[in-house]
Amino acid sequence: MTLHVTNTLTGEKEPFEPQDPENVLLYYCGLTVSDPPHLGHARSWVHVDVMHRWLEYRGYDVRHVENFTDINEKIVARVGEDDLGEGEADVAETYIERTLADMRSLNLLRAEVYPRVSEHIPEIIDLVETLVEKGYAYESNGSVYFDVTSFEEYGKLSNQELDEIESQGDPDERSEKRNPADFALWKADGVEPGDIEEHRHEGAAPAEHACETALTWDSPWGEGRPGWHIECSAMSTTHLDDTLDIHVGGRDLVFPHHENEVAQSEAATGQQFANYWLHCELFQMADEKMSSSLGNFVTVDDAVDQWGTNVMRTFLTAGSYNSQQLYSDETIAEAEERWEQLERAHEAAVEAVDSPAARTKVEDDDLRTAIDEARETFTTAMNDDFNTREAQSALLSVASAINAHREDRDEYDYRGLRRAIDTLEELGAILGLSFTGDTTGSAALAGDVVDLVLDVREQERADGNYERADDLRDELESLGVEVQDTDDGPTYRLPSNE
């Protein structure tokens, strides 16, 4: 079955055909590390991760590169704030460390490399020099600009006409540019206080001091800093190739960032920059997108700590990457309920398959058919533009089949249950879900604590201290932990987070 993806470049859903039938070159526009990562970032991370996992499941070797933008006026604006650091490089390092920790907490596969802009200044300068030599860029007062009129296909990604595009860049650049829509490849000098004023938070260092910490480099045009757009072109072509199979990013980056990437990359190499452009929709908070600049965000750290990895991954894959998704208490609660359905069914299947009631010659055609249909539905969904919403529904159908099999039955279909368990674990892993207890956040810690308390309670009961054992159970239940004694020992359910 062929994988189809929605290509922003053509506006069509197309069969995916990588340049090399065995390898996929995947680039994702990473974070500008000026704020804590929030769930809007996590949504894109998780969907890129699912793409990576599905492509590997289909047999491809995936070369996944994801950058860190560690040079930016927004980073300079944070200097001195909340012990983030005394310079641009310090602030960037602090947030890169936090970002990597958040990535691990969400059970993301590691990229092949996480290149930083600051490490690729030579490659950026080489690329800018190539564009100047080929007549696509020009120097003006120590800065270098891309001449958008020199690239005939400018606007092909965002479907904009050149004469309709407004001025790009800072207002003070206009006098230096030939055309208002030209964009900076290299910026002369450093960062001025006015460049960071709108990004500063309370407690930040004085603007002049912060700007003194901004990094600059020597270049053929004088001391300066790279423009934002040129950075991704230099890093992606350095670590992958002149032509990428898949370039992923947020929908808000189509213009100008990705449009400019296309123009400068193809002008420099003469090759198509990316064959497939996939764009992730952003979270909605009421009527606004979730973003750092608006301040209406939930950090990844807080979300994972409160709900745990599996609930967050269930929530983030409840909608497809290119569909709009609303963040609210209700949508989180729905995801928590769906994960609990999957988890309880998996636990029930494991308990049943490991019990004496599981029999070799018992066959439940309904269970086996449901598993086959779920696997087919999951595969069809993932091959239809990574449709995680339908894929998740397929997993839930397996959970329903397990529950139906166990109702009013004294003997279980051993082979059928094994296939159900394997299906949940195998296909769940493609969505990044773990049924092995390897979760993170306060939910996992709470489970460990409850296990410890129940072990102590069992020891008290064994020693005949029944009153103390009852007290421990009462304490747990007062905290919302439902304890149930069974012939195989106590079981429990943690309280749901409101």
Side-chain angles (χ1 to χ4, degrees):
M1 190 179 297
T2 303
L3 169 64
H4 287 73
V5 299
T6 299
N7 189 354
T8 305
L9 185 63
T10 63
E12 302 289 339
K13 186 180 289 186
E14 305 171 356
F16 174 66
E17 298 178 358
Q19 302 163 86
D20 181 337
E22 296 181 357
N23 298 281
V24 173
L25 305 182
L26 169 65
Y27 184 80
Y28 171 66
C29 270
L31 268 62
T32 297
V33 286
S34 60
D35 291 279
H38 56 66
L39 289 186
H41 302 130
R43 185 170 195 262
S44 294
W45 287 348
V46 164
H47 280 288
V48 172
D49 182 66
V50 170
M51 293 174 191
H52 185 160
R53 291 170 183 266
W54 183 245
L55 289 166
E56 284 193 342
Y57 187 81
R58 288 181 56 91
Y60 295 111
D61 179 20
V62 180
R63 296 189 58 201
H64 170 187
V65 173
E66 181 171 337
N67 75 290
F68 287 123
T69 297
D70 62 342
I71 301 169
N72 191 274
E73 289 79 2
K74 294 179 181 179
I75 301 172
V76 177
R78 305 299 302 275
V79 170
E81 179 189 335
D82 297 332
D83 298 321
L84 292 176
E86 296 304 316
E88 181 178 20
D90 300 323
V91 174
E93 192 74 13
T94 297
Y95 278 122
I96 287 173
E97 181 178 9
R98 294 187 186 182
T99 300
L100 290 170
D102 287 345
M103 288 177 169
R104 300 289 73 77
S105 75
L106 283 169
N107 191 29
L108 303 179
L109 297 177
R110 289 177 176 84
E112 180 176 296
V113 288
Y114 295 99
R116 306 182 189 190
V117 175
S118 62
E119 299 173 333
H120 293 76
I121 300 301
E123 291 86 352
I124 291 171
I125 291 175
D126 287 346
L127 184 53
V128 175
E129 284 188 297
T130 297
L131 291 168
V132 171
E133 291 168 1
K134 289 189 171 186
Y136 290 101
Y138 57 93
E139 185 270 342
S140 179
N141 295 330
S143 295
V144 181
Y145 297 96
F146 187 91
D147 181 357
V148 295
T149 65
S150 67
F151 187 72
E152 292 183 0
E153 294 184 293
Y154 191 81
K156 67 178 179 179
L157 181 66
S158 57
N159 293 315
Q160 298 193 66
E161 296 295 332
L162 187 56
D163 57 3
E164 298 175 356
I165 296 175
E166 297 180 358
S167 177
Q168 297 191 56
D170 298 328
D172 57 5
E173 294 177 358
R174 292 176 182 172
S175 63
E176 298 181 341
K177 299 191 293 186
R178 295 175 182 172
N179 312 289
D182 292 351
F183 58 90
L185 302 172
W186 185 263
K187 298 180 180 181
D189 304 318
V191 176
E192 297 297 325
D195 298 336
I196 69 171
E197 197 57 44
E198 66 177 295
H199 306 299
R200 298 181 71 231
H201 297 180
E202 185 177 350
E208 288 188 5
H209 169 70
C211 290
E212 289 173 359
T213 75
L215 302 172
T216 59
W217 289 266
D218 289 328
S219 79
W221 316 282
E223 192 85 2
R225 292 158 60 88
W228 175 35
H229 312 296
I230 196 68
E231 300 165 352
C232 280
S233 292
M235 289 184 286
S236 61
T237 55
T238 294
H239 293 284
L240 293 171
D241 206 340
D242 288 347
T243 300
L244 313 174
D245 290 309
I246 300 176
H247 192 307
V248 191
R251 177 68 60 185
D252 57 334
L253 298 180
V254 174
F255 186 87
H257 186 49
H258 291 162
E259 188 69 67
N260 292 347
E261 277 190 69
V262 170
Q264 65 203 11
S265 300
E266 296 186 2
T269 68
Q271 305 295 319
Q272 181 161 314
F273 179 47
N275 290 330
Y276 301 92
W277 285 86
L278 276 57
H279 285 98
C280 301
E281 291 290 350
L282 306 179
F283 264 132
Q284 295 295 313
M285 297 278 287
D287 296 326
E288 299 177 319
K289 71 175 183 179
M290 183 182 292
S291 73
S292 300
S293 60
L294 295 173
N296 62 344
F297 59 87
V298 177
T299 66
V300 174
D301 180 56
D302 286 346
V304 173
D305 186 59
Q306 183 172 0
W307 293 295
T309 303
N310 284 317
V311 171
M312 290 315 303
R313 296 229 25 158
T314 302
F315 170 63
L316 294 167
T317 56
S320 297
Y321 76 93
N322 54 4
S323 64
Q324 290 192 342
Q325 190 172 7
L326 177 68
Y327 171 85
S328 67
D329 292 341
E330 290 76 13
T331 53
I332 287 285
E334 290 169 2
E336 191 170 29
E337 182 179 348
R338 286 194 297 273
W339 167 248
E340 287 179 355
Q341 291 176 26
L342 292 170
E343 185 179 38
R344 285 197 299 266
H346 180 269
E347 290 174 351
V350 170
E351 179 184 344
V353 83
D354 289 339
S355 74
R359 301 300 176 88
T360 303
K361 293 188 176 181
V362 172
E363 295 185 11
D364 183 348
D365 290 338
D366 290 340
L367 173 63
R368 298 185 181 199
T369 298
I371 294 168
D372 290 340
E373 291 177 349
R375 295 185 75 93
E376 183 177 353
T377 299
F378 188 99
T379 300
T380 300
M382 291 302 295
N383 282 329
D384 182 18
D385 204 15
F386 306 104
N387 188 339
T388 55
R389 180 176 179 274
E390 294 301 323
Q392 194 178 111
S393 295
L395 292 182
L396 289 167
S397 72
V398 176
S400 297
I402 291 170
N403 296 333
H405 175 71
R406 293 197 67 201
E407 288 180 1
D408 302 323
R409 181 182 290 272
D410 296 325
E411 296 181 342
Y412 303 129
D413 179 353
Y414 176 82
R415 288 189 174 90
L417 286 172
R418 275 203 58 181
R419 288 181 58 200
I421 294 167
D422 291 344
T423 297
L424 286 178
E425 292 179 354
E426 176 188 338
L427 301 185
I430 293 167
L431 300 185
L433 303 175
S434 172
F435 293 92
T436 62
D438 297 331
T439 58
T440 57
S442 58
L445 177 59
D448 292 340
V449 172
V450 172
D451 286 334
L452 179 61
V453 173
L454 290 179
D455 286 343
V456 173
R457 175 173 175 263
E458 288 302 290
Q459 186 60 52
E460 294 287 358
R461 294 177 69 183
D463 293 341
N465 301 324
Y466 299 111
E467 184 175 346
R468 176 58 180 154
D470 289 343
D471 288 343
L472 289 171
R473 174 177 178 149
D474 291 343
E475 286 291 334
L476 288 173
E477 292 188 340
S478 71
L479 296 172
V481 180
E482 300 176 20
V483 179
Q484 189 170 30
D485 290 313
T486 71
D487 293 339
D488 298 321
T491 62
Y492 65 88
R493 283 191 61 194
L494 295 173
S496 298
N497 291 298
E498 298 298 333

